[in-house]
Amino acid sequence: MLKVENLKLGYDNVPVIFDVSLEVHEKEVVSIVGSNGAGKSTILRGLSGVIKPMAGTITFMGETINHVPAHRLVEMGMAHVPEGRQLFGKLSVRENLMLGAYVLKDEKTKKDCLEQVYDLFPRLKEREDQAAETFSGGEQQMLAIARGL
Ligand SMILES: Nc1ncnc2c1ncn2[C@@H]1O[C@H](COP(=O)(O)OP(=O)(O)O)[C@@H](O)[C@H]1O
Ligand SMILES: [Mg+2]
C-alpha cells in the first residue's frame, strides 16, 4: 500500500531525516521508534503531504505521491492522526466524526463508516452527542483515531 524509498525531509531547506525507506502492506501495522527529535513526526508529515520531500519517493496505492497536495491524499485514503489529537472541542463526537468523513460523497458509505468506527469504539456511540472537550484523554484519543478512520 505504501512504499517509501530514500526519503529526505526537512524544514526551510535544512534536512532533518535522510535515506528513510519503509513499506506498509495491507492489514499491516508498522511502527517507527526513536528518541525525541529523531524525526518521527517529520516522517508522518511527509507521508500526509504537509511537508514535501527534498529527495526520495513515496508511493501510495501504486501512485507516486511526492507532489500530491495533502487534501488530495485524504481523498485517496491517507489520514494523519495528530499526536495532540486536535479535536474540535465544542463539537460533539458525532460532528467530529462527520468532519473526518467529509470526503465521502455517498450517504450510505458515510453511514457504514460511522457504524464501523462505533463497532470499534462503542464508547463513542454511547456518547455521540457529548462535546469532545469533555472527554478524558484516552477517550479523546479514541475519537481522534476514529475520525482518521
Ligand atoms: N516546523 C519545524 N521547523 C523547523 N524544525 C523543525 C520543525 N518541526 C520539527 N523540527 C525539527 O526536526 C527534528 C525532528 O523533529 P520531530 O520530527 O518532531 O521529531 P520526533 O517526532 O521524532 O520527536 C527536530 O530537530 C525538530 O527540532
Ligand atoms: Mg513527534
Side-chain angles (χ1 to χ4, degrees):
M1 288 179 83
L2 182 67
K3 189 170 188 180
V4 173
E5 291 164 290
N6 307 110
L7 189 64
K8 181 177 180 183
L9 290 163
Y11 303 93
D12 298 323
N13 287 321
V14 179
V16 165
I17 61 120
F18 313 78
D19 266 340
V20 168
S21 300
L22 60 93
E23 277 184 44
V24 185
H25 299 269
E26 199 174 339
K27 297 194 165 121
E28 190 177 40
V29 175
V30 172
S31 303
I32 302 167
V33 180
S35 58
N36 284 337
K40 305 177 295 292
S41 296
T42 300
I43 293 171
L44 293 188
R45 279 180 211 123
L47 297 181
S48 56
V50 176
I51 57 173
K52 296 296 170 196
M54 298 164 84
T57 48
I58 309 172
T59 313
F60 181 52
M61 310 297 274
E63 198 178 317
T64 303
I65 57 161
N66 282 41
H67 301 292
V68 177
H71 70 276
R72 269 282 300 139
L73 288 174
V74 175
E75 289 171 1
M76 291 168 71
M78 180 82 81
H80 188 157
V81 178
E83 189 174 16
R85 303 190 281 261
Q86 300 187 16
L87 297 169
F88 299 94
K90 304 286 179 205
L91 300 186
S92 70
V93 165
R94 195 189 168 85
E95 286 165 335
N96 271 278
L97 291 173
M98 283 298 121
L99 282 167
Y102 82 99
V103 290
L104 303 174
K105 302 293 174 234
D106 170 43
E107 285 308 312
K108 165 100 175 60
T109 314
K110 258 188 210 184
K111 200 165 162 285
D112 292 349
C113 255
L114 190 64
E115 285 311 312
Q116 273 175 25
V117 296
Y118 280 162
D119 276 352
L120 266 179
F121 300 111
R123 187 73 164 176
L124 300 181
K125 183 167 182 149
E126 282 166 23
R127 301 188 173 204
E128 65 175 0
D129 295 320
Q130 190 172 324
E133 67 184 5
T134 65
F135 261 22
S136 76
E139 289 166 338
Q140 289 191 23
Q141 199 63 50
M142 284 181 206
L143 181 53
I145 294 168
R147 181 181 58 181
L149 290 171

